[in-house]
Coordinates of all heavy atoms in Angstrom, one line a residue:
V450 N 0.5 25.9 -5.8 CA 0.5 25.1 -4.6 C 1.8 25.3 -3.8 O 1.8 25.4 -2.6 CB 0.4 23.6 -5.0 CG1 0.6 22.7 -3.8 CG2 -1.0 23.3 -5.7
A451 N 2.9 25.4 -4.5 CA 4.2 25.6 -3.8 C 4.2 27.0 -3.1 O 4.7 27.2 -2.0 CB 5.4 25.5 -4.8
F452 N 3.7 28.0 -3.8 CA 3.6 29.4 -3.3 C 2.8 29.4 -2.0 O 3.3 29.9 -1.0 CB 2.9 30.3 -4.3 CG 2.7 31.7 -3.8 CD1 3.6 32.7 -4.1 CD2 1.6 32.0 -3.1 CE1 3.5 34.0 -3.7 CE2 1.4 33.3 -2.6 CZ 2.3 34.3 -2.9
E453 N 1.7 28.7 -2.0 CA 0.8 28.8 -0.8 C 1.5 28.1 0.4 O 1.3 28.5 1.6 CB -0.5 28.1 -1.0 CG -1.4 29.0 -2.0 CD -2.9 28.8 -1.7 OE1 -3.3 28.7 -0.5 OE2 -3.7 28.9 -2.6
R454 N 2.3 27.0 0.1 CA 2.9 26.3 1.2 C 4.0 27.1 1.9 O 4.1 27.0 3.1 CB 3.4 25.0 0.7 CG 4.0 24.1 1.9 CD 4.5 22.7 1.4 NE 5.0 22.0 2.6 CZ 4.3 21.1 3.2 NH1 3.1 20.8 2.8 NH2 4.8 20.5 4.3
V455 N 4.8 27.8 1.1 CA 6.0 28.4 1.7 C 6.0 30.0 1.8 O 6.9 30.6 2.3 CB 7.3 28.0 1.0 CG1 7.4 26.5 1.1 CG2 7.3 28.4 -0.5
V456 N 4.9 30.6 1.3 CA 4.8 32.0 1.3 C 5.1 32.6 2.7 O 5.6 33.7 2.9 CB 3.5 32.6 0.7 CG1 2.3 32.2 1.6 CG2 3.6 34.1 0.5
N457 N 4.6 31.9 3.7 CA 4.8 32.3 5.1 C 5.5 31.3 6.0 O 5.3 31.1 7.2 CB 3.5 32.7 5.8 CG 3.6 33.5 7.0 OD1 4.5 34.4 7.1 ND2 2.8 33.2 8.1
F458 N 6.4 30.5 5.3 CA 7.2 29.6 6.0 C 8.6 29.5 5.5 O 8.8 29.3 4.3 CB 6.6 28.2 6.0 CG 7.2 27.2 6.9 CD1 6.8 27.2 8.2 CD2 8.2 26.4 6.5 CE1 7.4 26.3 9.1 CE2 8.9 25.5 7.4 CZ 8.4 25.5 8.7
P459 N 9.6 29.7 6.4 CA 9.5 30.1 7.8 C 8.7 31.4 8.0 O 8.7 32.2 7.0 CB 10.9 30.2 8.3 CG 11.7 29.4 7.4 CD 11.0 29.5 6.0
T460 N 8.1 31.6 9.1 CA 7.2 32.7 9.3 C 7.9 34.1 9.0 O 9.0 34.4 9.4 CB 6.8 32.8 10.8 OG1 6.2 31.5 11.1 CG2 5.7 33.9 11.0
R461 N 7.2 34.8 8.2 CA 7.7 36.2 7.8 C 6.6 37.2 7.9 O 6.7 38.3 7.2 CB 8.3 36.1 6.4 CG 7.4 35.4 5.3 CD 8.1 35.4 4.0 NE 9.3 34.7 3.9 CZ 9.5 33.4 3.6 NH1 8.4 32.7 3.4 NH2 10.7 32.9 3.6
G462 N 5.5 37.0 8.6 CA 4.5 38.0 8.9 C 3.5 38.2 7.8 O 2.9 39.2 7.7
I463 N 3.2 37.1 7.0 CA 2.2 37.2 6.0 C 1.0 36.3 6.5 O 1.1 35.1 6.5 CB 2.7 36.6 4.6 CG1 3.9 37.4 4.2 CG2 1.6 36.7 3.6 CD1 4.6 36.8 3.0
G464 N -0.1 37.0 6.9 CA -1.2 36.3 7.5 C -2.2 35.8 6.5 O -2.1 36.0 5.3
N465 N -3.2 35.0 7.0 CA -4.2 34.4 6.1 C -5.0 35.4 5.4 O -5.4 35.2 4.2 CB -5.1 33.5 6.9 CG -4.4 32.2 7.4 OD1 -3.5 31.8 6.8 ND2 -4.9 31.7 8.6
A466 N -5.3 36.6 6.0 CA -6.1 37.6 5.3 C -5.3 38.1 4.1 O -5.9 38.4 3.1 CB -6.4 38.7 6.3

Side-chain angles (χ1 to χ4, degrees):
V450 173
F452 177 93
E453 291 211 34
R454 184 176 182 99
V455 297
V456 65
N457 194 41
F458 190 83
T460 305
R461 49 179 59 91
I463 302 172
N465 290 332

